[in-house]
């Protein structure tokens, strides 16, 4: 288990990359988790603080996370932030504006609701899940190529605000 200081504001580049960490306590003071800070571990549960404003590329890639709530203070979820986990339950809070390429690829999501604040979904964002129920909100403007590739979708309604899919 990793115990982070209650006053900690940033966990830097690859700080705990490629270990066998199963649990971490993330203090409420944390504002930034940098590139691959906790990637390739055995983390199964995390509680992201509401003060968090940056989730770097691959921050939690290749772990065992099953449930996740992403707070709205994070405006952008970077590339591959949660790729290759076991996420079955994902809550994206209002305030998030962009979900970058491969951010949640190769997980186990079956249902997904994108909040109205999200304007851009990157390429392959939710590729390789099991999504069969998808709710996209008005406000979404761009959906990247292969964003929902390799899922179990049978029906999707694209909001009127979307002007671009797959480029």
């Amino acid at each position: 288990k990793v115990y982070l200081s209650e006053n900690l504001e940033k966990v830097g580049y690859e700080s705990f990359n490629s270990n066998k960490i199963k649990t971490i306590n993330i203090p409420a003071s944390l504002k930034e988790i940098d590139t691959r800070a906790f990637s390739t571990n055995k983390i199964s549960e995390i509680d992201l603080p509401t003060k968090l404003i940056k989730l770097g590329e691959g921050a939690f890639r290749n772990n065992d996370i099953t449930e996740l709530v992403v707070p709205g203070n994070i405006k952008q979820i970077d590339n591959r932030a949660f790729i290759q986990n076991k996420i079955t339950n994902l809550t994206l809070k209002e305030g998030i504006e962009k979900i970058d390429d491969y951010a949640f690829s190769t997980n186990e999501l079956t249902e997904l609701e994108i909040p109205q604040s999200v304007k851009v979904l990157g390429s392959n964002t939710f590729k390789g899940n099991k999504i069969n129920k998808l709710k996209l909100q008005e406000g979404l403007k761009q959906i990247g190529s292969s964003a929902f590739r390799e899922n179990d979708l049978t029906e999707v309604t694209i909001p009127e605000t979307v002007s671009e899919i797959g480029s």
Side-chain angles (χ1 to χ4, degrees):
K1 184 169 185 165
V2 174
Y3 295 94
L4 300 173
S5 161
E6 286 301 316
N7 299 320
L8 188 66
E9 292 187 359
K10 178 180 179 179
V11 176
Y13 179 82
E14 293 189 349
S15 293
F16 297 96
N17 184 13
S18 297
N19 282 285
K20 293 183 170 112
I21 298 166
K22 291 183 180 179
T23 57
I24 52 175
N25 81 313
I26 300 176
S29 60
L30 196 66
K31 294 179 182 174
E32 185 176 340
I33 299 174
D34 209 348
T35 301
R36 293 186 297 280
F38 294 101
S39 71
T40 314
N41 277 285
K42 305 280 184 205
I43 299 166
S44 59
E45 188 177 314
I46 56 171
D47 186 12
L48 298 175
T50 55
K51 287 185 181 179
L52 191 66
I53 54 174
K54 181 178 193 254
L55 260 176
E57 181 177 341
F60 288 96
R61 78 179 288 166
N62 195 22
N63 274 285
D64 296 328
I65 299 166
T66 57
E67 293 189 22
L68 180 64
V69 176
V70 181
N73 284 353
I74 299 170
K75 299 303 175 203
Q76 176 174 322
I77 301 170
D78 278 358
N79 294 336
R80 296 173 171 81
F82 295 97
I83 191 174
Q84 296 170 321
N85 272 275
K86 297 176 180 173
I87 301 170
T88 56
N89 189 358
L90 174 64
T91 303
L92 300 168
K93 294 291 189 173
E94 196 66 39
I96 299 165
E97 295 174 1
K98 182 177 184 185
I99 304 174
D100 234 332
D101 302 347
Y102 295 94
F104 293 98
S105 285
T106 321
N107 275 282
E108 298 176 14
L109 293 168
T110 57
E111 295 185 11
L112 179 63
E113 182 172 344
I114 304 293
Q116 191 171 6
S117 59
V118 174
K119 307 297 181 217
V120 178
L121 295 176
S123 298
N124 298 287
T125 310
F126 294 97
K127 176 185 171 193
N129 278 275
K130 300 172 183 175
I131 300 169
N132 57 37
K133 187 175 180 185
L134 174 64
K135 185 170 184 182
L136 302 173
Q137 306 283 346
E138 293 295 328
L140 183 62
K141 294 180 179 183
Q142 183 181 347
I143 300 172
S145 61
S146 302
F148 298 102
R149 181 177 172 188
E150 298 172 14
N151 276 280
D152 296 331
L153 293 170
T154 57
E155 183 178 326
V156 178
T157 301
I158 304 298
E160 294 291 324
T161 53
V162 173
S163 60
E164 187 178 325
I165 298 176
S167 63

